[in-house]
Amino acid sequence: MEDELSLLEKDKEYLWHPFTQMKEWVEDDQLIIERGEGIKLYDTEGNEYYDGVSSIWLNVHGHQKEELDEAVIDQLDRIAHSTMLGLSNKPAIELAEKLVELTPEGLNKVFYSDSGSTAVEIGLKMAFQYWQQIDHDFGAKDKFITLTNAYHGDTVGSVSVGGVDLFHEIYKPLLFDSLKAPSPYCYRCPFDEEKESCNFSCIKELESMMQEHHHEVAAMVIEPLVQGAGGMIVAPDGYLAKVRELCSEYNILLLADEVAAGFGRTGKMFACEHEDVRPDIMTVAKGISGGYLPISATLTTDEIYDAFYDDYETQKTFFHGHSYTGNPLAAAVSVANIELFKEEKIIEKMPPKIKIAADKLAEFRELDHVGDIRQKGLMIGIELIEDKETKEPYDWKEKMGVKVAMKAREKGMIIRPLGNIVVFMPPLCSTEQQLLDMLEIIYESIKEITS
Ligand SMILES: Cc1ncc(COP(=O)(O)O)c(C=O)c1O
């Protein structure tokens, strides 16, 4: 007990946690996770919890998955890291081949980094430099279109194309300008349209923006189908395909940020597949390594790659790279992760799981303070509201999402909310029964906290 206490004291003495008001962290009691097994996490006191948000949207096959553990150990027997600057390595090559096979047709080149944010940052620089290096009839194409409620990471470039004011407002003086089109947030439609008689006004506004600014826009950046951190906002059917069409029409590159939605979360390997969309640039991270090690990739087309491919003296090199770019350990576990997707038929097994979750979620509608329930595959957001009739939100200071998450913790499950949105994003390997158990905990927690 003394050791455990001192561990927590050391945490509070030395650590600064992400997205955390440290005053609250230090004043409150905290959990320290010691190990994981399957979809359960175990703390230093021996308590077990369902990992209800896949350790922040990463985990796919569960913790301590034998095949993934072995892939890391096997690679450790060879080498943990060597650089991609001027050298290559076997797992990075193997993974690149697999990624090209797996992603939408035409994405033929893979550029590695180590987080979702850096993958986006790379995509932005690639798009910007592409337009500098090809002949075209426009002026400087150096702007980006993004959506309100967008989240693409926390580096300055990825924050510049973000649209979550709570996270991004304070950094404004540091950011480059981006054009913000309205998010397809149907429950709180900025055009006051009813879902049933939707005129796609958000798309019309996007189109006007493109009409006016296409000559100066390098790329449109979008989280395909689901705006995750902005509140699990699910775009209506056909929205993404329309965005693709408009980008092609107005000569704007489409950067699809699959960091959250990719690797099966929406029920297909990549969200773009639902609407047969082929982006010009695609970012993947999180689930790429099954939630084991930090690695990400920015994929692009031959056309973009070729704009950088020239004699050294032309100075068209893509000047970007990180110390851990193409890390062999992370690449090796990612290769094993992709093989497991196939062997265990993860995607094929998803439809009944998605359905069972949808059926259980339908019961949540009877709760007085559940306003909207959004689901795409196993990406789920439950919006809590003060008043169901008026859609009046809870005051953010009431921290309803946090209270529900803490109640769920008491009942044996870890979830992390986004403001008033309760997020459920379980590991894809969860069984139907486990999904039901976890949803029951969420149901009971919402009921107890809001009544
Ligand atoms: C869509 C999207 N893009 C980028 C990121 C940033 O990824 P990372 O936290 O690995 O930098 C996230 C993280 O949640 C995300 O959801």
Side-chain angles (χ1 to χ4, degrees):
M1 187 71 186
E2 239 172 46
D3 271 350
E4 286 157 22
L5 270 182
S6 79
L7 198 56
L8 188 55
E9 281 165 2
K10 283 183 193 171
D11 172 293
K12 292 179 177 181
E13 180 70 22
Y14 301 120
L15 277 175
W16 190 341
H17 287 261
F19 277 95
T20 302
Q21 173 43 260
M22 288 307 291
K23 181 164 186 290
E24 283 189 343
W25 176 274
V26 168
E27 284 171 3
D28 291 345
D29 205 13
Q30 306 297 346
L31 295 189
I32 301 176
I33 298 300
E34 193 168 50
R35 68 187 183 90
E37 207 179 309
I39 66 162
K40 291 273 179 85
L41 299 168
Y42 297 83
D43 70 12
T44 44
E45 312 245 314
N47 302 310
E48 62 176 69
Y49 307 88
Y50 280 119
D51 188 356
V53 283
S54 304
S55 295
I56 299 298
W57 314 358
L58 306 172
N59 194 278
V60 177
H61 311 284
H63 300 280
Q64 283 198 71
K65 181 76 180 168
E66 203 181 335
E67 291 85 341
L68 300 185
D69 289 0
E70 275 169 10
V72 176
I73 294 164
D74 188 50
Q75 183 58 38
L76 267 178
D77 279 341
R78 297 156 208 268
I79 189 167
H81 183 70
S82 75
T83 183
M84 290 271 288
L85 283 98
L87 296 172
S88 197
N89 71 72
K90 191 165 167 258
I93 297 168
E94 284 172 2
L95 177 61
E97 183 184 22
K98 285 199 180 309
L99 288 173
V100 168
E101 278 168 17
L102 209 59
T103 50
E105 179 93 33
L107 295 170
N108 293 336
K109 300 291 175 194
V110 177
F111 196 103
Y112 289 119
S113 55
D114 41 35
S115 72
S117 307
T118 50
V120 170
E121 202 80 27
I122 287 163
L124 298 175
K125 285 174 72 178
M126 238 178 221
F128 169 82
Q129 194 171 338
Y130 165 77
W131 290 108
Q132 313 277 316
Q133 293 179 179
I134 60 158
D135 286 334
H136 62 83
D137 298 333
F138 310 102
K141 275 168 91 69
D142 57 2
K143 291 199 167 36
F144 295 89
I145 294 181
T146 177
L147 299 178
T148 53
N149 296 315
Y151 178 79
H152 297 287
D154 296 330
T155 54
V156 169
S158 57
V159 169
S160 296
V161 291
V164 182
D165 287 345
L166 174 67
F167 305 158
H168 299 153
E169 190 68 23
I170 184 150
Y171 303 110
K172 259 203 174 134
L174 284 180
L175 310 179
F176 57 77
D177 277 341
S178 60
L179 302 161
K180 290 205 171 44
S183 146
Y185 191 178
C186 300
Y187 181 64
R188 297 188 183 281
C189 175
F191 305 96
D192 275 338
E193 281 171 358
E194 295 294 327
K195 222 174 183 172
E196 301 70 43
S197 56
C198 170
N199 279 320
F200 274 103
S201 294
C202 52
I203 280 282
K204 285 180 192 149
E205 187 147 323
L206 174 65
E207 181 160 18
S208 320
M209 188 177 270
M210 287 188 178
Q211 249 161 12
E212 192 180 343
H213 294 283
H214 66 101
H215 57 281
E216 51 178 352
V217 175
M220 161 129 195
V221 188
I222 193 166
E223 290 158 89
L225 296 196
V226 187
Q227 291 189 294
M232 292 289 153
I233 297 164
V234 179
D237 289 347
Y239 176 87
L240 181 65
K242 189 70 189 153
V243 169
R244 170 69 274 183
E245 211 180 294
L246 288 174
C247 285
S248 301
E249 189 180 335
Y250 289 100
N251 227 344
I252 290 169
L253 298 175
L254 178 65
L255 191 167
D257 178 0
E258 291 259 11
V259 165
F263 286 93
R265 298 282 165 198
T266 64
K268 292 198 186 274
M269 199 57 164
F270 298 102
C272 284
E273 291 172 29
H274 288 272
E275 302 196 358
D276 233 351
V277 162
R278 196 210 81 178
D280 303 290
I281 299 173
M282 187 167 127
T283 53
V284 290
K286 292 194 184 273
I288 186 176
S289 67
Y292 260 60
L293 284 165
I295 182 167
S296 60
T298 307
L299 287 102
T300 195
T301 57
D302 291 333
E303 196 182 339
I304 292 179
Y305 174 82
D306 288 345
F308 294 72
Y309 190 93
D310 211 333
D311 294 330
Y312 178 72
E313 300 74 35
T314 59
Q315 294 198 313
K316 289 183 177 174
T317 304
F318 187 45
F319 289 107
H320 193 108
H322 299 279
S323 309
Y324 283 99
T325 294
N327 172 255
L329 264 188
V333 76
S334 300
V335 168
N337 170 49
I338 291 172
E339 282 165 0
L340 265 184
F341 259 95
K342 284 198 189 126
E343 278 160 27
E344 304 207 340
K345 298 194 171 24
I346 297 290
I347 302 294
E348 294 83 341
K349 285 182 188 161
M350 281 187 76
K353 296 183 185 183
I354 295 167
K355 165 114 184 22
I356 214 160
D359 290 347
K360 179 74 189 165
L361 282 165
E363 291 173 23
F364 285 51
R365 295 201 187 275
E366 72 208 24
L367 295 174
D368 289 341
H369 295 277
V370 167
D372 195 23
I373 298 169
R374 298 185 279 272
Q375 179 187 12
K376 191 78 203 176
L378 289 179
M379 293 181 86
I380 292 161
I382 302 154
E383 182 159 344
L384 305 178
I385 46 167
E386 176 89 65
D387 188 318
K388 221 164 174 160
E389 289 301 304
T390 61
K391 298 186 184 174
E392 177 71 22
Y394 279 112
D395 186 337
W396 62 273
K397 291 191 198 113
E398 280 193 60
K399 294 192 179 165
M400 292 306 280
V402 173
K403 285 179 186 157
V404 169
M406 287 304 134
K407 184 52 77 182
R409 193 178 283 195
E410 280 172 27
K411 296 177 186 293
M413 172 164 168
I414 304 290
I415 46 174
R416 187 169 165 94
L418 295 158
N420 290 328
I421 322 291
V422 176
V423 173
F424 181 47
M425 223 156 130
L428 304 185
C429 67
S430 308
T431 63
E432 291 176 24
Q433 189 55 52
Q434 286 170 332
L435 290 172
L436 286 176
D437 291 348
M438 288 188 273
L439 282 164
E440 182 61 23
I441 291 177
I442 297 178
Y443 180 92
E444 288 299 326
S445 304
I446 293 176
K447 196 166 150 191
E448 283 176 41
I449 292 297
T450 58
S451 60

Coordinates of all heavy atoms in Angstrom, one line a residue, residues 57 115-118 120 151-154 223 229 257 259-260 285-286, ligand 1:
W57 N -9.1 5.3 -28.3 CA -9.4 5.0 -29.6 C -8.3 4.2 -30.4 O -8.3 4.2 -31.6 CB -9.8 6.2 -30.4 CG -10.7 7.2 -29.7 CD1 -11.3 7.1 -28.5 CD2 -11.2 8.5 -30.2 NE1 -12.1 8.1 -28.2 CE2 -12.0 9.0 -29.2 CE3 -10.9 9.2 -31.4 CZ2 -12.6 10.3 -29.4 CZ3 -11.6 10.4 -31.5 CH2 -12.4 11.0 -30.5
S115 N 2.6 10.0 -34.9 CA 1.3 10.3 -34.2 C 0.3 10.8 -35.3 O 0.7 11.1 -36.4 CB 1.4 11.4 -33.2 OG 1.6 12.6 -33.8
G116 N -1.0 10.9 -34.9 CA -2.0 11.4 -35.8 C -1.7 12.8 -36.2 O -1.8 13.2 -37.4
S117 N -1.3 13.6 -35.2 CA -1.0 15.0 -35.5 C 0.1 15.2 -36.5 O 0.0 16.0 -37.4 CB -0.6 15.7 -34.2 OG -1.5 15.5 -33.2
T118 N 1.2 14.4 -36.4 CA 2.3 14.6 -37.3 C 1.9 14.1 -38.7 O 2.3 14.7 -39.7 CB 3.6 13.9 -36.8 OG1 3.3 12.6 -36.5 CG2 4.2 14.6 -35.6
V120 N -1.0 14.4 -40.0 CA -1.8 15.5 -40.6 C -0.9 16.6 -41.0 O -1.0 17.2 -42.1 CB -2.9 16.0 -39.6 CG1 -3.5 17.3 -40.1 CG2 -3.9 14.9 -39.4
Y151 N -11.3 18.1 -35.6 CA -10.1 17.9 -34.8 C -9.1 17.1 -35.5 O -9.4 16.0 -36.0 CB -10.5 17.2 -33.5 CG -9.3 17.0 -32.6 CD1 -8.7 18.0 -31.8 CD2 -8.7 15.7 -32.6 CE1 -7.6 17.8 -31.0 CE2 -7.5 15.5 -31.8 CZ -7.0 16.5 -31.0 OH -5.9 16.3 -30.3
H152 N -7.9 17.6 -35.7 CA -6.9 16.9 -36.4 C -5.6 16.8 -35.7 O -4.6 16.4 -36.2 CB -6.6 17.6 -37.8 CG -7.9 17.6 -38.7 ND1 -8.3 16.5 -39.3 CD2 -8.8 18.6 -39.0 CE1 -9.4 16.7 -40.0 NE2 -9.7 18.0 -39.8
G153 N -5.6 17.1 -34.4 CA -4.4 16.9 -33.6 C -4.0 18.2 -32.9 O -4.7 19.2 -33.0
D154 N -2.8 18.2 -32.3 CA -2.4 19.3 -31.4 C -1.1 20.0 -31.8 O -0.7 20.9 -31.1 CB -2.3 18.7 -30.0 CG -3.6 18.2 -29.4 OD1 -4.6 18.8 -29.8 OD2 -3.6 17.3 -28.6
E223 N -12.4 14.8 -41.5 CA -12.5 13.5 -40.9 C -13.6 12.8 -41.6 O -14.8 13.2 -41.4 CB -12.9 13.7 -39.4 CG -11.8 14.3 -38.5 CD -12.4 14.9 -37.2 OE1 -12.5 14.2 -36.2 OE2 -12.7 16.1 -37.3
A229 N -13.4 13.9 -32.1 CA -13.2 14.7 -30.9 C -14.2 15.9 -30.8 O -14.4 16.5 -29.8 CB -11.8 15.2 -30.8
D257 N -8.6 12.5 -43.1 CA -7.9 12.2 -41.9 C -8.6 11.0 -41.2 O -9.6 11.1 -40.5 CB -7.9 13.4 -40.9 CG -7.3 13.1 -39.6 OD1 -6.8 12.0 -39.4 OD2 -7.3 14.1 -38.8
V259 N -7.4 9.1 -39.0 CA -6.6 8.7 -37.7 C -7.6 8.0 -36.7 O -7.2 7.0 -36.1 CB -6.0 10.0 -37.1 CG1 -5.5 9.7 -35.7 CG2 -4.8 10.4 -38.0
A260 N -8.8 8.6 -36.6 CA -9.7 8.0 -35.6 C -10.6 6.9 -36.3 O -10.8 5.8 -35.7 CB -10.6 9.1 -35.0
A285 N -3.4 6.5 -38.2 CA -2.5 6.3 -36.9 C -3.3 5.4 -36.0 O -3.9 4.5 -36.4 CB -2.3 7.7 -36.3
K286 N -3.4 5.8 -34.7 CA -4.2 5.0 -33.7 C -4.2 3.5 -33.9 O -3.3 2.8 -33.5 CB -5.6 5.6 -33.6 CG -5.5 7.1 -33.0 CD -6.9 7.5 -32.6 CE -6.9 9.0 -32.1 NZ -6.6 9.1 -30.7
Ligands
LIG1 C1 -9.2 12.6 -36.5 C2 -8.0 12.8 -35.7 N1 -6.9 13.3 -36.3 C3 -5.7 13.5 -35.6 C4 -5.7 13.1 -34.3 C5 -4.4 13.3 -33.5 O1 -3.8 12.1 -33.3 P1 -2.6 12.0 -32.1 O2 -3.3 12.2 -30.8 O3 -2.1 10.6 -32.3 O4 -1.6 13.1 -32.4 C6 -6.8 12.6 -33.6 C7 -6.7 12.3 -32.2 O5 -7.7 12.0 -31.6 C8 -8.0 12.5 -34.4 O6 -9.1 12.0 -33.8

